[in-house]
Amino acid sequence: MITGTPGQQLQRIKIFDTTMRDGEQSPGCSMNLEEKLRIAEYLDGMGVDVMEAGFPIASVGDFEAVSEVSKVVKNAKVAGLARSGRKDIERAWEALKHAKQPRIHTFISTSPLHMQHKLQMTPEQVHSAIIDSVSHARNLCDDVEWSPEDGTRTERDFLCRCVESAIKAGASTINIPDTVGYTMPDEFFDIISALCNRVPNIDKAIISVHCHNDLGLAVANTLSAIRAGARQAECTINGIGERAGNASLEEIVMGLKVRQDLMPFDTSIVTKKIIGASRLLSSVTGFAVQPNKAIVGANAFAHEAGIHQDGVLKHAGTYEIMTPESVGLTQSSLVLGKHSGRHAFRDKLEQLGCQLGDNAIQEAFVRFKALADKKKDVYDEDIIALVKDEMTHAAESIKFSTLHVIAGSTGPQKAYLEMEIDGVICSQESTGDGPVDATFNAISEIVPHSARLQLYQVHAVTEGTDAQAQVTVRLEEDGKTVNGQGADTDTLVASAKAYINALNKLADKRSKTAPEMLSA
Ligand code: KIV
Ligand code: ZN
């Protein structure tokens, strides 16, 4: 068993973030280009070693996202996913070729179940496809990662043989996915140990692991694999991903940091950026984090029981195994009031890490003044929501203008809405079953569409009845899902903005068609 001793040299575990690829495969989590770019820049600043930006052959949107992310990322390697076919691999390379450090990640299933039922290929055919795909990828790109999909349910001798051949063909990272989240930690330890002991050329590659959370064991399995010899962990912010999700980045990173006494490893993640990453992702996807989620949940550092509060006041270590500051949590601070000037506002934006150009700062300042007039106390979270809202709606071709609503217990509830479409003001009066319904009906009458409302969610940005509302609206059209966001002290205005934002995103999606259906 590996244990750490004081003063011992720590081995580096590479963090491979797949929030923009596997994370995006969560139903309702799709992100547009601008959102992926914001996430990519944040992840790059946070210190991830590799970020998987998408599956280039999946759609024009995915291709563009990988290509644009490749152009902006400065420090991390950028990976694009590809099945084993040559067309997939070439499309991935085409998207990645501008990256400073590109990586092609190619995969094929190796378990009996997947080979027989999904691929309808024999083990020999799969083995040949591995050699062909990895060699082809390696001819295009120096850095190739190969994954045996459903690796943990693959027959052990065949897994060792495939891994050896992939390394021989040029893969320098071998990623073992627990695709269906089936494995137990001890079992995964044995699988990784077997690869280390039985594959003769394993020293020429880094072993990576990619765990799904169907039994709630994704992080435990990842840590177990690291103890057995894996040196790259694939994970996502907030643990989003297919079905029950992927191993969560923040839990792996903090697990390694907090328990260095047991595990002599570290990562290059700037842990103070963890909360920011979690909040950025939630606001982009509209997926709220469960309050009791480890590290990033709203209650992760809250102490309710009197006996705990008393202990924490006497010594934080009594009930806290890491400090809230170490993951970037700070007390909500009262920032500015209606008398605060431009200079103080600009300083605050800098402190909060909001990088805006001069014009955008000016516009945000005007909105801040309006907010300070409506709201007694303006907090950091208010400023962040305001800036995000400004960025979300800046480039829209359909824009919210004004809304006046008649609500109350005696109907009908009515909405008078004005919107601007490509510079032209359009107005509509509609009734509905409640003020939100009336508002959405007015929007639909101005912009007719066939999208279905899948989610309508309201969060208060801070406490108090004057808090800003952050609204998420999820729309679905022809199997494509988008999340719209809006923030305002008026919940109905925030709702209208969120709905309009979703319609803008759908229009964007309609212009990009998916050439192929994918099964990964
Ligand atoms: O879960 C999985 O098997 C995957 C592979 C494509 C790596 O996401
Ligand atoms: Zn996966």
Side-chain angles (χ1 to χ4, degrees):
M1 184 161 63
I2 299 174
T3 55
T5 48
Q8 186 180 359
Q9 185 91 38
L10 300 173
Q11 287 189 54
R12 184 51 65 89
I13 302 300
K14 289 182 190 298
I15 296 295
F16 177 116
D17 180 278
T18 182
T19 304
M20 292 183 283
R21 198 279 295 169
D22 214 328
E24 205 200 16
Q25 288 176 215
S26 308
C29 258
S30 70
M31 303 167 211
N32 67 19
L33 177 59
E34 183 264 328
E35 291 164 342
K36 279 199 174 179
L37 287 172
R38 265 157 68 195
I39 288 177
E41 283 185 286
Y42 196 93
L43 292 176
D44 204 25
M46 187 164 93
V48 303
D49 297 281
V50 190
M51 65 178 87
E52 189 163 53
F55 199 165
I57 204 159
S59 68
V60 176
D62 248 42
F63 178 88
E64 262 180 15
V66 176
S67 175
E68 294 307 311
V69 166
S70 295
K71 291 176 195 159
V72 300
V73 167
K74 296 189 181 82
N75 310 308
K77 295 179 188 219
V78 180
L81 188 67
R83 292 170 299 188
S84 59
R86 289 185 164 222
K87 250 172 67 189
D88 268 52
I89 290 168
E90 283 155 19
R91 189 83 174 138
W93 175 243
E94 191 57 30
L96 287 165
K97 66 184 181 197
H98 298 295
K100 281 196 176 142
Q101 302 177 77
R103 171 179 292 184
I104 296 179
H105 176 193
T106 179
F107 71 99
I108 189 167
S109 293
T110 50
S111 67
L113 203 67
H114 277 222
M115 289 191 292
Q116 188 187 340
H117 298 286
K118 181 178 131 173
L119 299 176
Q120 285 152 353
M121 286 167 80
T122 64
E124 282 319 306
Q125 287 170 324
V126 167
H127 183 255
S128 304
I130 294 166
I131 298 172
D132 188 64
S133 56
V134 175
S135 315
H136 192 53
R138 191 53 215 279
N139 282 335
L140 300 169
C141 181
D142 286 344
D143 187 345
V144 175
E145 171 169 331
W146 177 73
S147 295
E149 191 185 3
D150 207 16
T152 51
R153 291 193 299 173
T154 297
E155 196 269 316
R156 201 70 62 87
D157 287 344
F158 186 58
L159 183 65
C160 289
R161 180 171 165 230
C162 291
V163 167
E164 183 182 352
S165 300
I167 297 173
K168 229 183 248 165
S172 48
T173 303
I174 297 293
N175 177 48
I176 307 300
D178 185 25
T179 303
V180 289
Y182 178 72
T183 307
M184 292 284 145
D186 287 352
E187 198 182 3
F188 206 29
F189 186 98
D190 287 347
I191 293 172
I192 302 303
S193 303
L195 292 175
C196 291
N197 296 329
R198 291 178 47 191
V199 175
N201 54 0
I202 197 71
D203 58 315
K204 307 223 166 19
I206 284 187
I207 300 180
S208 166
V209 287
H210 174 112
C211 300
H212 279 271
N213 206 29
D214 300 65
L215 291 172
L217 292 168
V219 172
N221 281 330
T222 304
L223 295 177
S224 186
I226 289 172
R227 297 180 87 186
R231 292 294 175 264
Q232 176 178 285
E234 299 203 354
C235 45
T236 58
I237 304 293
N238 296 343
I240 65 166
E242 283 268 5
R243 305 180 309 279
N246 287 60
S248 112
L249 180 147
E250 57 277 7
E251 292 175 27
I252 295 170
V253 168
M254 292 315 287
L256 292 174
K257 192 174 165 99
V258 169
R259 297 310 309 270
Q260 258 168 23
D261 58 325
L262 277 183
M263 296 173 285
F265 305 108
D266 71 357
T267 70
S268 54
I269 297 299
V270 181
T271 60
K272 285 188 181 240
K273 293 199 168 228
I274 282 178
I275 290 287
S278 167
R279 289 183 181 161
L280 173 61
L281 184 69
S282 303
S283 78
V284 160
T285 58
F287 263 46
V289 172
Q290 75 195 60
N292 59 324
K293 161 89 173 65
I295 321 291
V296 292
N299 293 351
F301 294 92
H303 304 281
E304 184 71 19
I307 190 170
H308 286 204
Q309 288 170 351
D310 183 52
V312 169
L313 287 174
K314 287 179 176 143
H315 188 295
T318 50
Y319 289 100
E320 281 181 1
I321 57 169
M322 64 197 115
T323 63
E325 293 76 23
S326 65
V327 296
L329 208 59
T330 48
Q331 285 290 328
S332 259
S333 55
L334 182 60
V335 284
L336 308 163
K338 61 180 174 183
H339 302 298
S340 306
R342 216 174 294 266
H343 191 71
F345 182 68
R346 189 185 279 265
D347 278 357
K348 192 71 208 177
L349 289 181
E350 247 167 56
Q351 245 180 53
L352 294 173
C354 303
Q355 290 145 353
L356 298 181
D358 284 344
N359 287 347
I361 291 183
Q362 177 53 29
E363 277 162 30
F365 183 67
V366 172
R367 282 194 63 190
F368 156 70
K369 282 290 196 186
L371 181 67
D373 268 340
K374 286 190 212 161
K375 197 173 181 295
K376 197 159 82 338
D377 300 323
V378 180
Y379 293 90
D380 287 357
E381 290 86 344
D382 285 313
I383 303 283
I384 293 168
L386 183 148
V387 169
K388 260 187 210 151
D389 199 56
E390 194 71 44
M391 288 162 76
T392 304
H393 304 289
E396 288 178 340
S397 56
I398 312 172
K399 283 186 193 300
F400 170 84
S401 295
T402 61
L403 176 68
H404 179 66
V405 174
I406 299 176
S409 54
T410 44
Q413 289 80 16
K414 273 191 187 156
Y416 302 89
L417 176 78
E418 276 190 4
M419 285 161 61
E420 192 186 308
I421 303 180
D422 294 324
V424 178
I425 296 283
C426 311
S427 56
Q428 180 67 39
E429 177 186 324
S430 296
T431 55
D433 195 2
V436 177
D437 194 43
T439 304
F440 288 2
N441 286 344
I443 297 172
S444 301
E445 281 172 54
I446 297 176
V447 185
H449 58 83
S450 58
R452 243 173 15 94
L453 180 69
Q454 279 196 330
L455 175 95
Y456 169 69
Q457 187 173 274
V458 184
H459 280 290
V461 171
T462 55
E463 289 170 4
T465 49
D466 63 352
Q468 286 191 85
Q470 174 94 52
V471 175
T472 303
V473 163
R474 183 174 304 147
L475 295 181
E476 185 270 334
E477 186 186 71
D478 298 333
K480 295 182 195 118
T481 322
V482 291
N483 289 311
Q485 309 284 341
D488 201 276
T489 45
D490 186 316
T491 307
L492 293 167
V493 171
S495 305
K497 284 179 172 180
Y499 199 100
I500 292 169
N501 182 233
L503 286 178
N504 276 290
K505 288 185 178 175
L506 266 186
D508 195 39
K509 277 222 163 193
R510 268 183 225 123
S511 60
K512 293 164 186 168
T513 49
E516 292 188 35
M517 289 301 291
L518 293 159
S519 57

